[in-house]
Amino acid sequence: MKKKMIFSVAAAAALLMANPVANKADAASNCPTSVQPKVNYQIGNLNCDQLNSILQQYMQNFNIQWNVPINCPVQQSPVQVQQPVYVQQPAGQTQQPVKAPVKQQPAKKQTTQTTSQVSAYEQKVVELTNKERAKYGLPALKLDVQLSKVAREKSRDMQAKGYFSHYSPTYGSPFDMMKQFGITYRSAGENIAMGQRSPEEVVQAWMNSDGHRRNILNSSFTHIGVGYVANGNYWTQMFIGK
């Protein structure tokens, strides 16, 4: 009889842990006495410590010796998420379909603008972005230092205000923000990301997302700005076509 009761408690524990997200579940015991007590527990919001406490009370009521607690699962790190792409094109203009990759040519060094005003991480994102464009026969984007200042301010604003969105409570949409900083364009777009720890990681994440990939491979864009804030790893790519 003791073995039977131990099996019942173990089965109840397995049932509880096998369905941790259920809104409601019953843990009942069958006892061969004239009175069959039944205990109902709402477990939708119970943690492992609470479940252990319930099981200990259950076993104490029936004088059951079972000292193996429920092991609480290790909490996983939050999934790094990226906001959907935000693109603005001139009226009547549509994005051309991306062509198949072509044989990559050595990327030409950009000498039109100094890189002293962008960080090494920001410069690396530009290089990796142009490397991806070269695979599809697209011209390299020119680094725009002024646009990078806007992108860096967007990353800083997201970190300081604790949000992750294309719409800034400080500056509005990316296009409103560009105009406030004196950036003019014919077409424009923005990619943002949070949590990636390196330029390689963030560019790969963007390339794995259809919307962000379309911005990187948009043939109407001619210039790029990149802004990175290390605290929280906030990344912003801003694209414009002149």
Side-chain angles (χ1 to χ4, degrees):
M1 181 60 68
K2 185 175 182 179
K3 292 183 178 179
K4 183 176 180 181
M5 290 306 301
I6 293 175
F7 176 79
S8 298
V9 175
L15 175 62
L16 292 176
M17 291 308 297
N19 190 21
V21 295
N23 291 326
K24 184 176 182 180
D26 294 333
S29 63
N30 295 320
C31 184
T33 63
S34 58
V35 179
Q36 297 185 357
K38 183 176 181 181
V39 183
N40 296 325
Y41 294 111
Q42 183 98 6
I43 70 164
N45 296 318
L46 297 182
N47 58 32
C48 288
D49 291 335
Q50 291 170 320
L51 289 174
N52 274 321
S53 177
I54 291 171
L55 287 175
Q56 290 297 329
Q57 182 64 46
Y58 178 91
M59 291 183 287
Q60 183 179 354
N61 290 342
F62 297 100
N63 194 27
I64 298 170
Q65 299 298 322
W66 190 55
N67 296 320
V68 181
I70 296 175
N71 293 323
C72 296
V74 178
Q75 185 174 3
Q76 300 295 326
S77 299
V79 176
Q80 297 170 359
V81 295
Q82 299 166 11
Q83 200 74 357
V85 70
Y86 201 130
V87 184
Q88 178 169 301
Q89 299 266 6
Q93 181 175 336
T94 59
Q95 171 69 18
Q96 297 298 319
V98 176
K99 299 179 181 179
V102 297
K103 186 176 180 180
Q104 186 174 353
Q105 299 295 328
K108 296 180 179 179
K109 293 183 179 180
Q110 296 297 320
T111 58
T112 55
Q113 291 207 41
T114 178
T115 61
S116 61
Q117 299 182 55
V118 297
S119 71
Y121 266 25
E122 292 166 347
Q123 175 63 29
K124 188 64 176 178
V125 168
V126 175
E127 293 175 3
L128 293 171
T129 298
N130 282 332
K131 184 177 180 180
E132 295 296 336
R133 288 174 64 89
K135 293 178 182 178
Y136 293 84
L138 295 171
L141 298 170
K142 297 178 181 179
L143 173 63
D144 189 311
V145 173
Q146 295 304 315
L147 188 60
S148 288
K149 290 181 180 179
V150 183
R152 193 177 306 113
E153 173 59 19
K154 176 61 178 289
S155 292
R156 188 208 63 78
D157 190 56
M158 287 193 293
Q159 190 278 328
K161 302 293 176 61
Y163 71 94
F164 182 63
S165 171
H166 290 288
Y167 187 87
S168 163
T170 308
Y171 301 104
S173 75
F175 316 113
D176 293 334
M177 186 174 183
M178 290 180 194
K179 291 176 181 178
Q180 289 176 46
F181 282 83
I183 304 296
T184 58
Y185 56 83
R186 292 183 297 104
S187 60
E190 179 184 79
N191 286 346
I192 59 175
M194 180 182 67
Q196 289 79 7
R197 296 166 294 181
S198 69
E200 291 81 5
E201 192 176 329
V202 73
V203 172
Q204 187 60 53
W206 279 328
M207 287 300 293
N208 288 338
S209 168
D210 288 340
H212 301 85
R213 183 172 176 268
R214 282 196 297 270
N215 260 359
I216 290 175
L217 301 181
N218 192 322
S219 60
S220 71
F221 295 149
T222 57
H223 293 74
I224 184 174
V226 178
Y228 170 65
V229 170
N231 186 6
N233 290 308
Y234 286 84
W235 305 81
T236 302
Q237 275 184 323
M238 287 186 170
F239 307 89
I240 58 172
K242 293 186 178 182

